[in-house]
Amino acid sequence: MPGRREFEIAFVGLKPGPHEYLYELDDRFFEDRPEQPFTDCRARVKLTLDKHVGFLLLKFEVGGTVGLTCDRCGNPMTKTLWEDFEMVVKMVDEPEAMNDRNEDPDVHFISRTESHIDVADWLYEFVNLSIPTHPVCDPGEDGEPTCDPKALEVLRKMDVEAKEQPSAENPIWKGLDKFRNS
């Protein structure tokens, strides 16, 4: 990705205390990554790097919008991103071994000799984590879904048919009745 160095922070020359960085991410940021479930990304990430002796505290505030497809009706929609994430980056003598043994996803280890930290992977991860896992159209003022009415009608018909058909007739459940009273 061209301009990749813009995501590297030279923390060695920074004074102790908080420092702010703002990243504007669009679809170009995601081009060299696996295919995304969204389009038209307009993410803004405010990164606060709080430098301490021996560690860095990173706070990522993700905002903006992305284009998604409704899981219920298939209509395109825009969702707002709004999440906060924190990372602790500790400076140690053997970072590879520490990262291999580390079970906390919010802690990362780097070498004491490092002078830069690349935040691009964390930006990618945190934008993706800000996206709803099952996006659906927002409810209207009456609280009802604003999904495509034709799609909602098809779903209602399928629900009625599924309730009318006894589960014993479905071959997927065959043989499970013997475990019912165990």
Side-chain angles (χ1 to χ4, degrees):
M1 168 204 283
R4 182 99 177 148
R5 294 193 61 104
E6 71 182 284
F7 302 109
E8 289 184 6
I9 299 173
F11 62 87
V12 168
L14 298 177
K15 293 181 181 180
H19 304 272
E20 289 187 1
Y21 302 87
L22 184 61
Y23 297 99
E24 300 282 339
L25 308 176
D26 57 19
D27 290 338
R28 289 176 295 169
F29 176 77
F30 299 94
E31 284 177 349
D32 65 338
R33 310 246 182 198
E35 188 173 338
Q36 302 302 311
F38 56 84
T39 59
D40 197 27
C41 179
R42 302 280 178 249
R44 291 177 306 281
V45 181
K46 177 182 161 188
L47 168 60
T48 304
L49 182 150
D50 195 359
K51 183 179 178 183
H52 297 271
V53 176
F55 73 96
L56 306 169
L57 179 60
L58 306 176
K59 181 176 182 181
F60 297 82
E61 297 174 37
V62 180
T65 60
V66 293
L68 296 167
T69 302
C70 177
D71 275 359
R72 188 182 301 135
C73 69
N75 280 347
M77 64 181 171
T78 300
K79 282 290 185 184
T80 301
L81 304 176
W82 186 70
E83 290 287 337
D84 293 343
F85 302 93
E86 291 187 357
M87 290 286 302
V88 176
V89 178
K90 295 183 180 182
M91 293 169 242
V92 296
D93 291 325
E94 298 178 13
E96 294 84 17
M98 296 292 288
N99 281 322
D100 289 342
R101 289 190 301 239
N102 183 29
E103 293 182 13
D104 188 347
D106 298 332
V107 177
H108 183 73
F109 299 94
I110 61 172
S111 174
R112 292 186 193 278
T113 61
E114 288 291 326
S115 61
H116 292 72
I117 187 164
D118 186 355
V119 297
D121 288 341
W122 290 323
L123 292 170
Y124 168 79
E125 180 178 341
F126 295 146
V127 167
N128 274 288
L129 288 173
S130 299
I131 296 169
T133 54
H134 296 291
V136 293
C137 295
D138 293 327
E141 291 179 13
D142 59 356
E144 292 296 315
T146 56
C147 288
D148 178 4
K150 292 178 184 176
L152 292 178
E153 184 58 32
V154 169
L155 290 172
R156 282 188 197 99
K157 286 180 182 177
M158 290 173 63
D159 188 41
V160 168
E161 290 172 6
K163 288 179 181 175
E164 289 174 355
Q165 180 182 1
S167 60
E169 291 178 23
N170 190 337
I172 197 169
W173 305 116
K174 186 177 181 179
L176 292 178
D177 286 337
K178 63 183 174 187
F179 297 110
R180 184 170 286 176
N181 295 327
S182 297

